[in-house]
């Protein structure tokens, strides 16, 4: 352990911790007569789900159990307006495993703009802006909260599209849960969770293992689409209540993933097989002390540590000679204080202040200075007209050591004229600071040969390439030797939603609009390497927008049947491209006649990896008395742009599109007795596969799960 880690662990042992247990409680909705979760992510103040003033999706542990899914990304893609996307660059590495994984796209904004939280704290270790959700075991998740829209006023950088908060379990009674899982193709998993409540404390322990033999979607390519891998994960959470006014909690979590690497590379002489491993380690430790001040005011003191490392290497299989080796290690440490002060008639004030340190040690980074930041956030919530109107307004100031201070505001209003109708409107600003990759990356692909260089490292690396004869004669590097530091991206967004509730179900319709300015994007230098392959870097270039509408409906039929329908319509485009089209500066070539014509707005599809139409339909039959259910889900995603092939750098040709697809998932369960149940699942029933555009989908998977649940009737 480093000195910082030792200090953190000692601090935790000395002072204890707490984990915002209000996130874990459930209460009865007296209006609708159904169980309704308490939520905290939307405003950081615990409230009923129906009272949230911003767009919010809650996935409960019961819903997770019904799906029978073991990967968080598969559960997320079944939610309205949420898409799981792949990075085109990762799939361009022909014959290599995709190094980036899959990301979560909200409202048409890239995964880099969605903040992933674990029990309210941010996870680090992104690759190409994507955080691999496979690092999070779902066996001990209590609920997942998805907030749509700019949330930087509470959570800072990376929360421009929204926030996904994974909230883990808190023991309510002595319990033991065991799950055994077996699936095709060659997947096995097991998990165990133990919880116990004592007089003044509670303990939760969780362990998980997952093994995949890999799969191959394209026999024409040497090697597997997904190489074999295994995951070992564990976590412990301890809560201590020394008095009625104070509470301490401490939680630690470890996730270890080992993947085999074996693929073919093209060398100058002949193709050769390389083999090795990739090892991911993800460690988090969280602490919080909660103290009740006065009658209702609360004070929180929190600390959070996330250490992530990725070590990858391959050797030539015939000779054992090293071929490639990389490492990436990131450490994020944050401390903060929070004060909540309730006023009369339900109004509340929230004040938050803290600092964070982010450090990276990576083989592909030219420089690795620490990034230190300080933040202050204030939020006021008012309850008006007998709680019919809720007004929430606030802002956050962030100051990192390498850029000017940034203020992110947000205002949200909800109006409930009666028990059936609810209208919400919210608007806010968000930002995303340039990360280590944007500034210091210095990477040359070993097989394809291109270079990707961060903005801060670009000047020194170009000089190095020119001095070593790796640039063509006459390449003019002078315009790129000036220091042009990247600026944070800044965006604004708003959302309006109307919801109608009835005894038989609910209907909600919403519209949204987001705009991002000074977007950090890749650009190609006007000269190549001496091998003729391109050099890429980053710059603040262009503005984009995403806008659309969402419809969600839940219908409860008589008896044991219910239905859930969701749909999103999306437009996401580059404003600079639209301006160039209007100025008649963009052209396209017809794929059949090869005639060159001016590009029109109608021909411009929009930003890549966005589907104009996405929808889901869920049908549930549940007989609680008999202990059985059947659950079928249809997930549709329409065609989406992938990559430019005709040279005009926009998506405007049907050959540049990936076809839409439909996924059908089915699960059914039967309770054998009060502690044992069996569940069968068919994932991807229609056996949809696409190795280029959806390499994470292995085809049809049939699985069986055995659940053992032992729980005491009362806590100790």
């Amino acid at each position: 352990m480093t000195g910082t880690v030792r200090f953190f662990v000692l601090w935790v042992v000395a002072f204890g911790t707490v984990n915002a247990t209000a996130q874990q409680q459930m209460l009865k909705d007296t209006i609708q007569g159904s169980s309704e979760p308490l939520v905290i992510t939307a405003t950081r103040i615990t409230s009923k789900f129906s009272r949230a003033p911003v767009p919010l999706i809650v996935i409960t542990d019961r819903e997770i159990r019904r799906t029978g899914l073991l990967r968080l990304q598969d559960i997320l893609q079944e939610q309205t307006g949420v898409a799981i996307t792949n990075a085109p660059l990762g799939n361009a590495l022909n014959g290599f495993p995709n190094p980036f994984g899959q990301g979560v796209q909200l409202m048409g904004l890239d995964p880099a703009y969605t903040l992933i939280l674990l029990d309210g704290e941010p996870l680090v270790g992104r690759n190409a802006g994507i955080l691999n959700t496979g690092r999070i075991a779902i066996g001990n998740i209590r609920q997942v909260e998805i907030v749509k829209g700019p949330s930087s006023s509470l959570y800072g950088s990376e929360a421009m599209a929204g926030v996904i908060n994974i909230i883990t379990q808190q023991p309510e009674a002595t319990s033991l849960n065991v799950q055994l899982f077996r699936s095709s193709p060659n997947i096995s998993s097991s998990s165990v969770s133990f919880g116990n409540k004592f007089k003044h404390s509670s303990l939760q322990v969780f362990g998980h293992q997952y093994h995949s033999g890999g799969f191959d979607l394209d026999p024409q390519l040497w090697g597997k689409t997904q190489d074999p891998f295994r995951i070992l994960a564990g976590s412990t959470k301890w809560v201590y209540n020394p008095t009625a006014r104070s509470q301490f909690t401490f939680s630690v979590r470890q996730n270890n993933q080992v993947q085999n690497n074996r693929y073919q590379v093209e060398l100058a002489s002949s193709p050769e097989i390389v083999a090795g491993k990739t090892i991911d380690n993800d460690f988090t430790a969280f602490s919080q002390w909660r103290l009740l001040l006065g009658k209702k005011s609360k004070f929180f003191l929190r600390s959070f540590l996330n250490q992530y490392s990725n070590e990858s290497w391959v050797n030539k299989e015939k000779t054992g000679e090293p071929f490639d080796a990389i490492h990436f290690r990131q450490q994020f440490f944050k401390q903060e204080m929070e004060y909540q002060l309730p006023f009369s008639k339900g109004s509340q004030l929230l004040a938050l202040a803290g600092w964070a340190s982010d450090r990276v040690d990576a083989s592909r980074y030219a420089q690795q200075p620490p990034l230190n930041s300080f933040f202050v956030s204030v939020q006021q919530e008012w309850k008006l007209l007998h709680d019919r109107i809720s007004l929430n307004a606030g802002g956050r100031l962030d100051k990192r050591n390498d850029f000017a201070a940034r203020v992110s505001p947000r205002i949200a209003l909800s109006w409930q004229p009666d028990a059936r109708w609810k209208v919400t409107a919210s608007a806010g600003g968000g930002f995303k600071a340039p990360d280590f990759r944007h500034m210091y990356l210095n990477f040359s692909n070993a097989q394809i040969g291109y270079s990707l260089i961060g903005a801060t490292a670009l000047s020194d690396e170009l000089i190095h390439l020119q001095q070593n004869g790796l640039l063509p004669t006459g390449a003019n590097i002078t315009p790129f030797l000036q220091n042009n530091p990247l600026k944070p991206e800044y965006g604004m967004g708003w959302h309006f939603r109307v919801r109608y509730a009835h005894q038989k179900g609910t209907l909600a319709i919403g519209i949204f609009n987001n705009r991002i300015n000074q977007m950090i994007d890749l650009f190609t230098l006007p000269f190549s390497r001496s091998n003729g392959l391109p050099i890429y870097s980053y710059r603040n270039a262009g503005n984009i927008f995403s806008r659309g509408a969402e419809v969600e409906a839940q219908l409860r039929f008589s008896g044991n049947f219910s239905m859930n329908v969701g749909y999103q319509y999306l437009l996401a485009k580059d404003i600079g491209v639209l301006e160039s089209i209007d100025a008649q500066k963009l052209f396209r070539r017809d794929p059949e006649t090869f005639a060159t014509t001016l590009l029109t707005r109608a021909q411009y599809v929009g930003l890549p990896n966005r589907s104009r139409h996405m929808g889901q339909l869920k049908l549930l039959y549940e007989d609680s008395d008999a202990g059985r259910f059947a659950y079928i889900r249809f997930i549709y995603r329409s065609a989406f742009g992938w990559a430019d092939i005709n040279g005009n750098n926009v998506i405007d040709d049907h050959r540049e599109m990936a076809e839409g697809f439909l996924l059908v998932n089915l699960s059914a369960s039967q309770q054998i007795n009060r502690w044992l149940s069996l569940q069968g699942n068919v994932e991807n029933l229609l056996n949809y596969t696409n190795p280029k555009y959806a390499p994470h989908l292995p085809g049809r998977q049939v699985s069986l799960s055995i659940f053992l649940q032992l729980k005491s009737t009362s806590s100790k």
Side-chain angles (χ1 to χ4, degrees):
M1 286 189 177
T2 65
T4 302
V5 179
R6 293 191 188 98
F7 172 80
F8 174 78
V9 173
L10 289 174
W11 187 94
V12 167
V13 173
F15 293 98
T17 62
V18 80
N19 188 11
T21 55
Q23 296 180 359
Q24 316 303 331
Q25 300 172 2
M26 305 286 284
L27 72 90
K28 282 285 183 179
D29 178 7
T30 57
I31 296 176
Q32 299 301 327
S34 61
S35 182
E36 180 183 9
L38 288 174
V39 296
I40 194 171
T41 312
T43 62
R44 296 186 74 126
I45 298 174
T46 306
S47 64
K48 293 173 64 175
F49 170 70
S50 62
R51 299 285 183 176
V54 296
L56 179 66
I57 295 175
V58 176
I59 312 171
T60 64
D61 57 345
R62 188 177 183 183
E63 171 69 9
I64 294 173
R65 166 74 181 275
R66 281 172 177 163
T67 66
L69 301 172
L70 291 188
R71 299 187 302 176
L72 182 60
Q73 65 187 35
D74 295 331
I75 295 170
L76 293 175
Q77 77 174 353
E78 293 190 356
Q79 312 308 312
T80 303
V82 181
I84 301 300
T85 63
N86 292 271
L89 183 58
N91 296 84
L93 307 179
N94 188 22
F96 281 73
N98 184 348
F100 305 133
Q102 290 72 47
V104 182
Q105 183 188 100
L106 290 181
M107 297 187 301
L109 296 179
D110 274 340
Y113 303 115
T114 298
L115 182 63
I116 308 294
L117 304 176
L118 181 68
D119 285 327
E121 300 297 336
L123 294 176
V124 300
R126 291 177 180 264
N127 199 337
I130 292 175
L131 192 142
N132 181 15
T133 55
R135 291 160 46 188
I136 304 169
I138 69 170
N140 67 332
I141 292 178
R142 179 58 179 265
Q143 67 187 36
V144 180
E145 299 178 9
I146 304 174
V147 178
K148 297 181 181 179
S151 302
S152 293
S153 64
L154 288 174
Y155 298 102
S157 181
E158 298 180 3
M160 295 174 69
V163 173
I164 298 177
N165 189 9
I166 297 103
I167 301 171
T168 58
Q169 289 177 345
Q170 183 111 354
E172 298 177 353
T174 303
S175 61
L176 174 66
N177 298 321
V178 178
Q179 179 184 6
L180 303 177
F181 175 91
R182 181 72 181 180
S183 171
S184 62
N186 196 17
I187 296 174
S188 62
S189 173
S190 60
S191 63
V192 58
S193 178
F194 171 76
N196 196 21
K197 289 202 74 173
F198 306 96
K199 184 176 181 180
H200 296 292
S201 64
S202 60
L203 177 69
Q204 183 78 31
V205 180
F206 172 73
H208 170 76
Q209 74 84 25
Y210 183 96
H211 177 269
S212 170
F215 57 88
D216 187 15
L217 300 178
D218 191 348
Q220 303 301 318
L221 286 179
W222 200 98
K224 292 187 174 183
T225 305
Q226 171 68 68
D227 280 319
F229 68 93
R230 63 103 178 129
I231 298 173
L232 295 177
S235 63
T236 300
K237 182 186 293 184
W238 174 65
V239 180
Y240 176 55
N241 300 276
T243 69
R245 306 185 67 85
S246 63
Q247 187 181 68
F248 300 88
T249 300
F250 173 53
S251 64
V252 293
R253 167 184 160 272
Q254 176 75 44
N255 187 89
N256 173 267
Q257 177 172 328
V258 178
Q259 176 178 298
N260 296 330
N261 297 326
R262 191 168 183 261
Y263 49 87
Q264 180 176 278
V265 296
E266 298 291 337
L267 301 179
S269 55
S270 62
E272 191 159 349
I273 307 304
V274 296
K277 292 184 182 297
T278 296
I279 300 177
D280 272 356
N281 275 300
D282 184 21
F283 171 80
T284 62
F286 172 72
S287 72
Q288 182 175 283
W289 172 41
R290 186 187 70 181
L291 180 65
L292 298 181
L293 304 173
K295 292 184 178 181
K296 295 183 179 180
S297 61
K298 302 175 185 178
F299 174 77
F300 300 86
L301 180 63
R302 301 186 185 98
S303 290
F304 176 72
L305 173 72
N306 188 187
Q307 287 186 322
Y308 172 77
S309 67
N310 177 286
E311 312 284 340
S312 181
W313 70 91
V314 287
N315 301 328
K316 295 180 180 179
E317 197 168 62
K318 288 184 178 179
T319 64
E321 177 186 354
F323 177 76
D324 191 24
I326 60 171
H327 73 268
F328 176 88
R329 307 180 189 105
Q330 185 172 5
Q331 177 175 288
F332 177 81
F333 180 64
K334 180 172 75 113
Q335 285 188 307
E336 66 182 19
M337 296 180 295
E338 180 180 327
Y339 180 61
Q340 294 182 12
L341 177 62
F343 295 103
S344 61
K345 299 180 181 180
S347 299
Q348 292 197 64
L349 171 70
L350 180 146
L352 180 74
W355 68 274
S357 175
D358 198 358
R359 297 174 180 269
V360 162
D361 173 20
S363 55
R364 290 176 173 174
Y365 287 5
Q367 304 174 47
Q368 299 161 21
L371 301 180
N372 300 315
S373 59
F374 170 78
F375 55 90
V376 178
S377 180
V378 178
Q379 176 186 261
Q380 176 71 52
E381 186 175 45
W382 295 270
K383 301 293 185 180
L384 308 171
L385 295 179
H386 306 287
D387 282 354
R388 291 183 179 181
I389 293 179
S390 176
L391 177 63
N392 184 289
R396 171 167 162 149
L397 173 72
D398 285 88
K399 175 64 179 78
R400 204 170 76 179
N401 59 306
D402 60 337
F403 66 82
R406 174 70 65 180
V407 176
S408 304
R410 185 176 74 171
I411 184 168
L413 175 71
S414 69
W415 174 44
Q416 290 183 283
D418 55 42
R420 293 189 175 186
W421 290 94
K422 179 183 178 182
V423 179
T424 60
S426 61
F431 81 99
K432 185 180 185 304
D435 57 29
F436 289 100
R437 165 180 56 107
H438 294 135
M439 297 183 291
Y440 305 119
L441 181 65
N442 189 352
F443 167 64
S444 294
N445 182 270
Q447 182 181 16
I448 302 177
Y450 68 86
S451 292
L452 179 56
I453 307 170
T456 305
L458 183 61
S459 174
D460 291 341
E461 181 60 17
L462 288 179
I463 294 174
H464 171 76
L465 291 174
Q466 192 172 67
Q467 290 176 346
N468 288 272
L470 298 177
L471 295 179
T473 304
N476 182 17
I477 67 173
T478 304
F480 304 97
L481 300 183
Q482 300 176 357
N483 184 21
N484 295 312
L486 293 174
K487 301 176 182 178
E489 302 173 85
Y490 189 71
M492 295 293 294
W494 58 262
H495 194 285
F496 179 81
R497 188 171 187 258
V498 178
R499 178 178 181 267
Y500 175 76
H502 189 268
Q503 290 182 350
K504 293 295 184 179
T506 61
L507 174 66
I509 301 175
I511 56 175
F512 61 87
N513 186 80
N514 298 284
R515 174 166 175 156
I516 298 178
N517 300 321
Q518 298 183 157
M519 187 177 66
I520 299 174
D521 201 4
L522 280 173
F523 76 99
T524 307
L525 272 64
F527 48 82
S528 62
R529 292 174 60 100
S530 55
N531 59 6
L533 292 170
I535 302 174
Y536 302 99
S537 188
Y538 296 97
R539 65 182 177 187
N540 291 103
N543 308 317
I544 67 169
F545 71 79
S546 71
R547 60 177 67 123
E550 291 182 345
V551 178
E552 293 182 271
Q554 296 85 36
L555 181 62
R556 291 183 291 273
F557 300 100
S558 58
N560 303 316
F561 291 92
S562 62
M563 179 177 70
N564 180 295
V565 180
Y567 168 75
Q568 177 184 269
Y569 175 80
L570 174 70
L571 289 176
K573 297 192 176 185
D574 188 314
I575 297 173
V577 171
L578 293 174
E579 292 173 347
S580 296
I581 292 174
D582 294 340
Q584 298 187 341
K585 294 180 179 179
L586 268 180
F587 298 84
R588 71 184 298 268
R589 175 172 291 185
D590 188 278
E592 297 178 357
T593 65
F594 300 104
T596 300
T597 58
L598 284 169
L599 184 66
T600 66
R601 279 183 171 242
Q603 293 167 333
Y604 173 42
V605 174
L607 298 175
N609 237 339
R610 277 82 167 174
S611 294
R612 183 157 299 186
H613 308 280
M614 292 199 309
Q616 49 90 6
L617 169 64
K618 303 176 182 179
L619 299 172
L620 173 67
Y621 167 79
E622 186 170 30
D623 187 341
S624 300
D625 295 334
R628 66 171 68 101
F629 71 80
Y631 196 24
I632 185 168
R633 291 97 62 204
F634 302 85
I635 302 98
Y636 172 72
R637 185 179 179 191
S638 68
F640 53 93
W642 185 249
D644 171 59
I645 62 173
N646 61 10
N648 62 359
N649 294 317
V650 299
I651 306 297
D652 65 332
D653 189 320
H654 67 88
R655 298 173 300 172
E656 301 170 340
M657 302 287 292
E659 293 183 355
F661 59 87
L662 174 68
L663 299 178
V664 180
N665 297 331
L666 175 65
S667 57
S669 176
Q670 176 64 60
Q671 191 82 27
I672 305 302
N673 52 42
R674 65 187 185 123
W675 52 268
L676 179 65
S677 63
L678 300 178
Q679 182 167 329
N681 307 286
V682 181
E683 188 177 350
N684 195 358
L685 179 66
L686 302 181
N687 198 32
Y688 169 80
T689 60
N690 194 319
K692 183 176 182 180
Y693 303 126
H696 62 290
L697 297 176
R700 185 184 299 111
Q701 294 177 270
V702 180
S703 63
L704 175 66
S705 294
I706 301 175
F707 292 93
L708 173 67
Q709 296 178 301
L710 301 176
K711 187 174 183 178
S712 65
T713 57
S714 62
S715 59
K716 293 183 179 180

